[in-house]
Amino acid sequence: MIRSAAYRIAIVSSLAYAAATVTLGIAVYWAAHNGLRRQFDDRIKSELAALVDEYRLGGEGELRREIVQREAAAAASDLRYALFAPDGTRLVGNFLGRRPATGLQTLMVRDMAGEEDPQRALAADLRGGERLVVAADWDALEDSDRLILSLLAAACVAVGLIGAAGALLLGAYLRRRLSAISVAAEGIMAGDLAQRIVIGTRGDEFDRLSGVLNAMLDRIAELLENLRQVSGEIAHDLRTPLTQLRNQLETGLVHGADATMIERAIARVDEALALFAAILRLSEIESGRLAASFRVIDLSALAAEIGESYAPAVEDRGRTLHCAIEQIEPITGDRELVAQALVNLIENAQTHTPPGTAIRLALHERAGCIRLIVADDGPGVPAGDRKRIVTRFARLEESRSRPGHGLGLSLVAAIARAHRARLSIEDNAPGLRIAIEFAR
């Protein structure tokens, strides 16, 4: 148990709680003890002062009568009186001790039963040399001390037992919550990448930690799946141009290479190099290192410039490009990357729509959200495929015969993430609407 961090935390917490309780009990004990002692002292001082006044008014005789009367009136009281002659002889009073020194003091005095009891006494000399003593039994204060100490001891035992039980319960609870994380981690280490941590319904720190770890595991699984997909797609996409290149070289070796054959071979090599360049560009953007190069950019001017420059090319391919650019405040970002994302969206709309399609480029800001939109009225994308088309090398069946490697939209998604923007793919009814949403 001592090797368990959960139990150590629980035990330390219980010991701290017990220490706090003992400290509080000791403070209460000393406060009560000193308070009662001050009450004793104040009572004795008041009684002695009253008797001294009687002595001043009526002399020794009056003082003796007053002592006798007080003893008779308060037979059951814990107060004791005595008047001692200068030679130490007790002249009157029920205080059985010897003539004490002057001042406030605690004395051990033998009682009528012959047992010594502690008494709190105050002695003062009178004008005639007599010494007046007023004392009180210390038993009441000792009884109070014993009661407080007994309660404190009982409280310590109770706190210790409750603390031990609490430590066991808390330790077991912590171990149970941590074991859920440990079991999931061991399952993943054993190769079960689908293993996830069970999240409770309380929404406490453990549940939030489990959610974060599950999100991290989802991201790792996604990256591993992307890696697997990328490896397969790279091999698939490179096989065709490399095979064609090999055939052309083989033909050239047998029949002699002419300029046309060499140009085709160079085109196949350029195609492979373009694929590697796109992959490297995507990796560079996703690395997050480009954030340091962000500057203030005028998104309205950038969108208008691209819309104006691409409109003729779009019309040459039988489509139209309409722009609705609102003037908005500049944002922080990478101008080249945002321009690349916008060009990719326009070219994507051209590639996957039939001639006669209207493409719309829009920019506006609503409720603190800047939306850069490229929409078309083409055939659109089924709802089940909209999330998939932004993954690397993703290509729908109907677009496999068209040129490209399926990296355009994944590059747009990476640029959006680099700008902490959200990529939204929606139905344009008809057609497809893709928006990059920048938070202001």
Side-chain angles (χ1 to χ4, degrees):
M1 182 182 299
I2 196 65
R3 298 182 61 184
S4 167
Y7 279 113
R8 285 202 301 272
I9 293 172
I11 291 172
V12 169
S13 299
S14 298
L15 289 177
Y17 179 69
T21 302
V22 170
T23 303
L24 178 62
I26 292 174
V28 170
Y29 167 76
W30 279 110
H33 177 85
N34 291 328
L36 287 174
R37 192 178 66 178
R38 280 195 297 272
Q39 289 183 4
F40 263 81
D41 293 345
D42 292 343
R43 185 182 175 195
I44 293 171
K45 291 176 182 177
S46 175
E47 197 73 11
L48 183 70
L51 291 174
V52 170
D53 289 341
E54 292 293 338
Y55 176 79
R56 289 173 181 165
L57 294 175
E60 180 181 337
E62 183 60 26
L63 177 59
R64 288 191 180 201
R65 281 192 296 276
E66 185 64 24
I67 290 175
V68 172
Q69 287 177 1
R70 293 192 179 216
E71 289 177 347
S77 171
D78 56 349
L79 288 178
R80 301 289 183 268
Y81 306 91
L83 181 63
F84 289 95
D87 60 356
T89 303
R90 180 159 56 88
L91 301 176
V92 68
N94 57 1
F95 175 75
L96 302 181
R98 296 179 180 178
R99 171 176 163 144
T102 58
L104 193 61
Q105 56 209 292
T106 300
L107 303 172
M108 296 301 295
V109 180
R110 193 176 299 279
D111 59 14
M112 299 295 291
E115 298 179 355
E116 288 191 337
D117 286 332
Q119 292 189 2
R120 190 72 170 164
L122 177 61
D125 289 338
L126 303 177
R127 288 176 303 183
E130 302 90 345
R131 181 162 296 173
L132 177 61
V133 179
V134 177
D137 286 341
W138 204 238
D139 291 342
L141 182 59
E142 289 188 337
D143 291 343
S144 175
D145 288 346
R146 281 194 290 270
L147 176 61
I148 294 175
L149 290 175
S150 298
L151 292 175
L152 177 60
C156 289
V157 173
V159 168
L161 293 175
I162 294 173
L168 291 175
L169 292 175
L170 179 59
Y173 173 76
L174 292 175
R175 289 196 68 179
R176 181 170 60 81
R177 298 301 302 270
L178 292 173
S179 67
I181 300 175
S182 176
V183 168
E186 291 173 355
I188 293 170
M189 291 170 60
D192 183 7
L193 299 181
Q195 189 75 251
R196 293 294 181 270
I197 303 168
V198 177
I199 301 177
T201 59
R202 298 183 181 86
D204 56 17
E205 290 81 355
F206 285 101
D207 292 335
R208 290 196 291 275
L209 175 62
S210 300
V212 171
L213 291 177
N214 283 344
M216 182 186 70
L217 293 173
D218 290 342
R219 179 59 177 160
I220 292 175
E222 181 184 348
L223 293 175
L224 290 175
E225 175 60 22
N226 286 343
L227 180 62
R228 185 194 63 77
Q229 179 193 2
V230 166
S231 302
E233 294 292 347
I234 289 176
H236 178 271
D237 281 25
L238 284 179
R239 184 172 58 185
T240 299
L242 291 179
T243 300
Q244 293 175 348
L245 176 61
R246 183 184 183 285
N247 292 337
Q248 290 167 1
L249 292 175
E250 193 174 56
T251 302
L253 182 64
V254 175
H255 303 288
D258 56 15
T260 302
M261 187 174 296
I262 294 175
E263 289 177 356
R264 288 176 180 173
I266 292 175
R268 299 288 83 77
V269 173
D270 288 344
E271 187 177 345
L273 290 176
L275 175 60
F276 282 117
I279 294 172
L280 291 174
R281 182 61 168 163
L282 193 56
S283 300
E284 183 185 20
I285 295 171
E286 291 185 335
S287 68
R289 293 192 295 268
L290 297 176
S293 64
F294 282 9
R295 300 288 185 274
V296 175
I297 58 175
D298 186 343
L299 195 55
S300 298
L302 176 62
E305 178 183 333
I306 291 178
E308 183 179 352
S309 61
Y310 268 78
V314 172
E315 290 181 2
D316 289 345
R317 297 178 61 178
R319 293 142 181 100
T320 56
L321 179 61
H322 306 280
C323 297
I325 310 297
E326 293 184 4
Q327 187 62 41
I328 64 170
E329 293 294 324
I331 66 170
T332 301
D334 187 301
R335 191 178 190 281
E336 181 184 351
L337 290 180
V338 176
Q340 178 70 66
L342 195 51
V343 169
N344 279 16
L345 290 176
I346 295 173
E347 290 183 346
N348 184 75
Q350 290 187 93
T351 303
H352 300 287
T353 58
T357 299
I359 301 172
R360 185 171 67 93
L361 169 61
L363 173 68
H364 59 71
E365 181 175 2
R366 301 287 186 275
C369 179
I370 301 169
R371 285 173 60 88
L372 181 60
I373 304 168
V374 174
D376 63 67
D377 58 358
V381 173
D385 291 330
R386 288 174 196 159
K387 186 176 181 181
R388 187 170 67 87
I389 59 176
V390 298
T391 58
R392 295 185 181 186
F393 300 104
R395 303 179 71 183
L396 302 181
E397 287 300 325
E398 55 270 23
S399 63
R400 287 196 175 276
S401 59
R402 300 188 183 108
H405 302 291
L407 291 174
L409 288 182
S410 59
L411 189 63
V412 173
I415 293 172
R417 285 194 297 270
H419 288 78
R420 299 184 183 279
R422 176 175 174 270
L423 185 65
S424 171
I425 302 176
E426 305 163 344
D427 183 11
N428 197 40
L432 185 68
R433 181 172 59 245
I434 302 180
I436 303 175
E437 299 174 348
F438 299 89
R440 174 61 73 184

